[in-house]
Amino acid sequence: MKIATYNLRCGGKANRRVHWTQLFEVANPDIFLVQETCPPEQYVTHHFWETHHQQIQWAKVGNNAWGSAVFVRSGIVSRIPVPDFEGCVVGVEVEGFAWSAKQGRKLRIFSIHAPAPYKPSVNRMLDWIGSLPDDGDLIIGGDFNLTVGVRHPNEKQQDQDLWLLERLRREFGLVSCWQAANPNRDLAQTLRWSRDQAIPYHCDGIFVPAAWYRYLDQCEVLASPLWEELSDHNPVVATFSEEPAPVFLPTAVPASAAIPSILPS
């Protein structure tokens, strides 16, 4: 299973709306969380739209031509109305999603694009999501406009939003796919914004139940000149196995081979 999130930057250029098609050619996600996207049919082939339009939910932000969307490849996808954040948050509930069904739980998915002021907005979004029944698995992803990972002390960029990571972990039991899959790496750049486009902003993320960690194979930020041309954000893609990764337990050490004590006799 693959989950991807991608901010298209105001829908992209009218004559260059290939973001969805390009992402599906490269990653072919089973779940796609999209922000600042125009109506999805503008980015895909007629055949794709005819085949999958019932698997997509989209809503625009205010009077803009763009908003947020969720695509789920399989299952019955139902919209979860989010009245206070129409278009900034698109939520769906899925019945019969193949991978989720194997886990035996229903699935709720939210594509988030946090408006300013970012921290209060994200907290209000999470307050609302937290008011829903706790009777299924939850995926939250998108462009938080806040740092969605823990930085090492030696990283050039030192923005930290640890409160967000703590809240997602403690209240929702969610972990960052990118950080879980890349625990010893500096945060990868997901946004090229401001005058210095080399600043490694890491504001796009995918959060899944902590129990899914054992299925997580990898999480990568897609980077190439093509992605840089299409948007100021880079897609983030998480890949999960059908079976959990094997756990290797240490071999028991015989008593006769025990490590000698370093304490003086």
Side-chain angles (χ1 to χ4, degrees):
M1 179 184 69
K2 290 185 178 180
I3 306 173
T5 185
Y6 187 23
N7 181 314
L8 311 190
R9 190 181 186 183
C10 299
K13 298 177 182 177
N15 61 348
R16 193 83 170 99
R17 288 185 178 152
V18 298
H19 306 68
W20 283 61
T21 300
Q22 181 66 25
L23 199 284
F24 276 90
E25 287 180 356
V26 172
N28 197 27
D30 299 284
I31 297 172
F32 188 23
L33 313 177
V34 204
Q35 304 82 45
E36 294 196 36
T37 177
C38 293
E41 58 266 35
Q42 297 185 16
Y43 302 84
V44 298
T45 65
H46 177 74
H47 175 73
F48 183 97
W49 180 250
E50 287 297 310
T51 305
H52 296 100
H53 69 276
Q54 292 184 330
Q55 306 304 122
I56 301 172
Q57 291 290 337
W58 173 82
K60 68 176 184 176
V61 178
N63 294 322
N64 295 295
W66 44 263
S68 300
V70 175
F71 162 85
V72 186
R73 184 176 301 278
S74 63
I76 301 173
V77 180
S78 304
R79 181 76 163 271
I80 301 175
V82 189
D84 290 342
F85 290 99
E86 182 76 12
C88 291
V89 181
V90 170
V92 300
E93 185 168 296
V94 188
E95 294 183 13
F97 178 63
W99 201 85
S100 182
K102 188 173 181 179
Q103 308 301 311
R105 291 168 61 82
K106 69 172 63 176
L107 179 64
R108 294 190 182 94
I109 307 169
F110 291 90
S111 175
I112 283 181
H113 182 203
Y118 304 130
K119 181 175 180 178
S121 294
V122 170
N123 270 322
R124 287 177 56 210
M125 291 173 177
L126 295 180
D127 287 344
W128 189 88
I129 294 173
S131 70
L132 298 175
D134 182 17
D135 58 355
D137 287 329
L138 176 65
I139 297 171
I140 301 176
D143 175 9
F144 292 79
N145 277 308
L146 298 165
T147 304
V148 290
V150 179
R151 293 195 180 276
H152 295 134
N154 62 344
E155 290 187 55
K156 178 181 177 181
Q157 186 73 3
Q158 278 301 313
D159 49 335
Q160 298 275 15
D161 289 296
L162 302 183
W163 64 270
L164 171 58
L165 307 179
E166 282 294 288
R167 184 167 188 192
L168 288 168
R169 180 178 67 85
R170 291 181 179 275
E171 293 185 28
F172 301 94
L174 303 182
V175 296
S176 160
C177 288
W178 194 91
Q179 193 127 62
N182 303 278
N184 297 314
R185 290 180 54 191
D186 292 351
L187 296 185
Q189 183 174 14
T190 69
L191 170 63
R192 299 172 310 284
W193 178 78
S194 80
R195 295 180 180 178
D196 184 358
Q197 295 192 3
I199 295 176
Y201 293 117
H202 186 90
C203 58
D204 303 85
I206 301 166
F207 290 83
V208 301
W212 292 14
Y213 170 73
R214 58 184 181 151
Y215 298 93
L216 179 62
D217 285 338
Q218 64 177 5
C219 186
E220 58 183 333
V221 177
L222 303 184
S224 73
L226 174 60
W227 297 117
E228 293 179 10
E229 177 187 350
L230 292 178
S231 174
D232 56 352
H233 289 256
N234 290 77
V236 181
V237 181
T239 303
F240 296 82
S241 293
E242 291 298 319
E243 299 295 336
V247 177
F248 297 98
L249 299 177
T251 303
V253 179
S256 60
I259 299 174
S261 172
I262 60 171
L263 297 176
S265 57

